[in-house]
Amino acid sequence: MKVLITGPFGNVGNSLLRELSGRGHDVRCFDLPTASNRKAAKRLGIADVVWGDIRQPVDVAGAVAGCDIVVHLAAIIPPGSDHDPATAEADNVGGTTNVINAVAAAPVPPKLIYASSLALFGPTQHQPPPRTLVDPIKVTDHYTRHKAACEALLHDSGLQVAILRFGAVIPLAVLGAIDPLMFEVPLTDRIEFVHTWDVGLALANAIDSSEIWGRTFLIGGGPRCQLYQRELISKPLEAVGIGMLPDAAFGTTPYHTDWLDTTESQAVLQYQRFTFDDYVRDMLAVVGWRRRAIRPLRPIIRRALLRKSTYLRAASRRAG
């Protein structure tokens, strides 16, 4: 089967490529020709790469040509979608429109798997968990507006489509690029983690499944990965020797996270293998020898992390 992956060299894309290895599919990758993407393609030994821009219809059409399934991962996520909403909308909604049009125009339209997000449920901490597909979509920011628009476009396309809404998929190399967004989620919020490798497996199994078409699935780690934000933050930081950050660095307004009912997705896709403790172990393996350097640099690293918190900066200004 000829499989096209858009945005293959990001967190989820890398995990999907890892799972597809050895399955016998003919994989084509489509991404921007950046230095880091070219390096990743070379490192992974990807022979069929179409370099282009998801915002350009002709680039997308060339990538889609001859494919049986398209896995559409390419997107600008928060905080990038908030920093430059216009570019994010052109990439997220415009890019998805280009994918849909290219698929529809093909002599034999490929099937299409779309990566969406649990963020579409909005803040639900005041409701009993878990979230299910019966829960309504609630747009709360640029990113959720884009995802809601894309899901609507896909439903109206008449194509064979499957939508996978992901829970919290944290990169294994998270310490190299800790996101200020982590401070926006209150430490008391429920959050469902899912190991990036399990997401890769869910997508790989979706490619091979005949049961997914016309359906939406919630992709989370399952009951063993239903955490509170405090645990999600503290365990990795404690494990590498940085230590938990003060509560005052975190917001208190409920965020769009929650626990998910993944009964249906697990029954169909059989992907839930790893717990959050497994993630911490795998994250430490990625940190490797650098862990020895963290402890003596702990005060400097903590200050650098805390400078990313808008809440601490605001408190400092008020105190000054």
Side-chain angles (χ1 to χ4, degrees):
M1 194 182 313
K2 184 74 172 182
V3 179
L4 171 67
I5 307 171
T6 72
F9 302 123
N11 175 28
V12 171
N14 271 291
S15 294
L16 174 55
L17 288 170
R18 180 179 185 269
E19 288 296 336
L20 286 179
S21 177
R23 291 206 181 199
H25 296 302
D26 184 4
V27 177
R28 172 182 293 166
C29 293
F30 176 74
D31 216 328
L32 289 167
T34 64
S36 60
N37 284 343
R38 289 184 181 276
K39 183 178 179 181
K42 184 176 181 180
R43 173 176 52 84
L44 295 168
I46 306 298
D48 189 356
V49 183
V50 176
W51 299 112
D53 190 332
I54 198 75
R55 296 169 295 181
Q56 300 299 321
V58 66
D59 292 353
V60 177
V64 167
C67 292
D68 302 300
I69 287 185
V70 176
V71 182
H72 183 31
L73 305 177
I76 296 176
I77 64 175
S81 54
D82 293 319
H83 294 161
D84 190 349
T87 298
E89 183 166 9
D91 200 277
N92 296 348
V93 182
T96 300
T97 300
N98 291 338
V99 170
I100 290 172
N101 290 341
V103 167
V108 179
K111 297 173 182 177
L112 178 54
I113 298 172
Y114 178 69
S116 192
S117 172
L118 93 159
L120 283 173
F121 293 123
T124 54
Q125 297 296 313
H126 60 291
Q127 301 175 23
R131 304 279 59 79
T132 74
L133 291 172
V134 174
D135 289 276
I137 287 175
K138 183 176 182 180
V139 170
T140 54
D141 58 9
H142 296 292
Y143 180 66
T144 51
R145 179 168 58 83
H146 300 164
K147 287 297 183 185
C150 290
E151 287 200 9
L153 288 169
L154 291 161
H155 285 306
D156 294 341
S157 69
L159 301 171
Q160 292 194 77
V161 172
I163 296 171
L164 276 60
R165 293 184 187 171
F166 300 149
V169 192
I170 307 171
L172 289 173
V174 66
L175 290 182
I178 287 185
D179 197 322
L181 196 64
M182 75 175 188
F183 295 111
E184 299 300 321
V185 184
L187 295 174
T188 54
D189 271 17
R190 298 183 298 266
I191 188 165
E192 178 139 349
F193 164 82
V194 55
H195 198 298
T196 181
W197 293 346
D198 279 350
V199 174
L201 179 59
L203 286 164
N205 287 346
I207 290 169
D208 292 333
S209 174
S210 61
E211 300 179 52
I212 66 167
W213 306 112
R215 300 167 69 179
T216 297
F217 297 93
L218 302 180
I219 305 298
R224 298 183 305 165
C225 295
Q226 292 176 344
L227 316 171
Y228 290 90
Q229 177 72 352
R230 182 180 298 278
E231 185 178 5
L232 192 83
I233 297 296
S234 64
K235 277 193 171 183
L237 291 177
E238 296 287 354
V240 297
I242 295 173
M244 181 54 178
L245 302 173
D247 287 13
F250 296 85
T252 56
T253 302
Y255 201 67
H256 44 57
T257 68
D258 211 333
W259 298 342
L260 303 172
D261 182 352
T262 59
T263 306
E264 185 177 8
S265 67
Q266 173 62 8
V268 173
L269 299 174
Q270 293 291 308
Y271 63 96
Q272 293 171 345
R273 298 169 295 181
F274 301 114
T275 67
F276 188 63
D277 287 338
D278 293 327
Y279 166 82
V280 173
R281 175 202 65 207
D282 297 330
M283 180 269 297
L284 288 175
V286 170
V287 173
W289 62 267
R290 289 167 292 185
R291 188 179 176 190
R292 294 193 297 272
I294 288 175
R295 196 165 293 277
L297 295 174
R298 181 175 181 270
I300 297 171
I301 295 171
R302 286 178 63 85
R303 284 196 297 271
L305 291 177
L306 291 173
R307 279 198 294 269
K308 297 176 182 285
S309 168
T310 59
Y311 301 99
L312 280 187
R313 292 202 301 270
S316 178
R317 287 195 297 270
R318 288 193 299 269

